[in-house]
Amino acid sequence: MHGNAVPDSYVYVTEEGVTRHYSDGSVEALAWEDVVEVRVGGLAAGEGRPDVLIVLLDRDGEGCVVPRSATDAGFLARLRYLPDFDLERLNMAVETANDGYVVVWRSPDPPSPLPDLEYD
């Protein structure tokens, strides 16, 4: 068979958020307004270079994983809209990524957790 292999996922970045569609039909999505943390990490991928991942999380720990290979100027430009986001810190984390994860940004004003409801 000739041609390129089918990618395992597709990432779409819009003004509203980020969505990743996997080849198995599953989907991860996160609205920009819900992002409270950005992490960078790597997964061993052979040849000494880790496969770098950028993880966007909401306050419940749910999120969207974006492989470095799927990042483009639009994604990076949108990250800069996050309050006090440091693109230089992101670049440094990407260049030094290993098997662990490092937090490169946290919201300075994360949404308040839902109050505990009391039932009588």
Side-chain angles (χ1 to χ4, degrees), residues 7-77:
D8 69 341
S9 66
Y10 295 93
V11 176
Y12 297 99
V13 178
T14 66
E15 288 297 314
E16 290 77 33
V18 178
T19 304
R20 183 174 180 187
H21 296 268
Y22 290 88
S23 59
D24 67 1
S26 62
V27 177
E28 293 175 341
L30 188 60
W32 288 114
E33 65 187 26
D34 295 333
V35 175
V36 298
E37 187 171 289
V38 178
R39 297 179 183 179
V40 172
L43 300 173
E47 293 189 29
R49 282 294 279 162
D51 187 11
V52 178
L53 304 173
I54 299 170
V55 182
L56 308 174
L57 296 170
D58 67 12
R59 69 181 177 140
D60 296 324
E62 298 294 320
C64 189
V65 177
V66 180
R68 179 181 184 188
S69 59
T71 63
D72 61 11
F75 177 75
L76 297 175

